[in-house]
Amino acid sequence: MSIWHEELEIALWPLEDQPLGSAGLTFAISNLLSRAEVYHQCRVGYVKDRRTQMETMPHCWIELPDGWCIDLTLRHWLDDDDDIPHGVFRFSDYPRVCCHGSPLQIPDLDDEALEAMTDGRRTSIRIPPMIDRAA
């Protein structure tokens, strides 16, 4: 994981416990990334735990360049285990899960809506500038 990915993950931790589900959290994080001019693609589909055969569907997550993803809710639905991805990660590093998704269009949220969705944390979340995408 690059320093940028680590900084991004740390910046997003305050949103981890927001009761928004995968779609709401994806909406909020996508808007924060867009405001910081970070290229990303939102996805909707399913994620399956190959060990337990549990699935979460529909499920939303964010894909970044170079195979990196953001998902702060997957462990809520599958298993709170280190073998289930959480935060900023690459699905390829987690062979226990498989995912399939299609692009999801996210509406632009105004400041008031984003403030409400992030429980007043919007202004304190600092998305790092995307300067190093290596790793």
Side-chain angles (χ1 to χ4, degrees):
M1 180 181 288
S2 73
I3 292 171
W4 182 82
H5 291 103
E6 289 178 17
E7 290 175 353
L8 176 62
E9 186 171 69
I10 290 166
L12 296 174
W13 282 138
L15 300 176
E16 180 180 30
D17 294 324
Q18 290 300 108
L20 298 172
S22 69
L25 208 48
T26 296
F27 280 33
I29 293 171
S30 175
N31 273 264
L32 292 167
L33 293 172
S34 292
R35 290 170 185 221
E37 299 181 355
V38 173
Y39 177 78
H40 64 284
Q41 172 67 63
C42 298
R43 309 290 266 178
V44 61
Y46 71 88
V47 181
K48 181 177 182 177
D49 182 337
R50 289 184 170 115
R51 188 178 58 122
T52 65
Q53 299 302 307
M54 289 178 56
E55 289 183 11
T56 178
M57 180 174 66
H59 189 75
C60 300
W61 66 93
I62 295 172
E63 291 184 356
L64 300 166
D66 303 326
W68 290 91
C69 299
I70 301 170
D71 191 330
L72 300 178
T73 66
L74 194 53
R75 287 185 183 173
H76 295 285
W77 304 114
L78 294 182
D79 190 5
D80 189 13
D81 187 303
D82 287 344
D83 291 337
I84 302 295
H86 184 79
V88 177
F89 60 89
R90 289 184 284 205
F91 272 113
S92 62
D93 293 336
Y94 292 88
R96 179 173 158 181
V97 298
C98 63
C99 68
H100 179 73
S102 301
L104 173 65
Q105 295 299 319
I106 300 292
D108 290 331
L109 301 173
D110 61 26
D111 289 344
E112 187 175 300
L114 194 52
E115 191 73 12
M117 290 180 80
T118 61
D119 196 26
R121 298 180 180 131
R122 173 189 65 91
T123 56
S124 66
I125 296 170
R126 302 279 185 242
I127 304 296
M130 192 171 192
I131 52 175
D132 176 23
R133 292 187 343 198

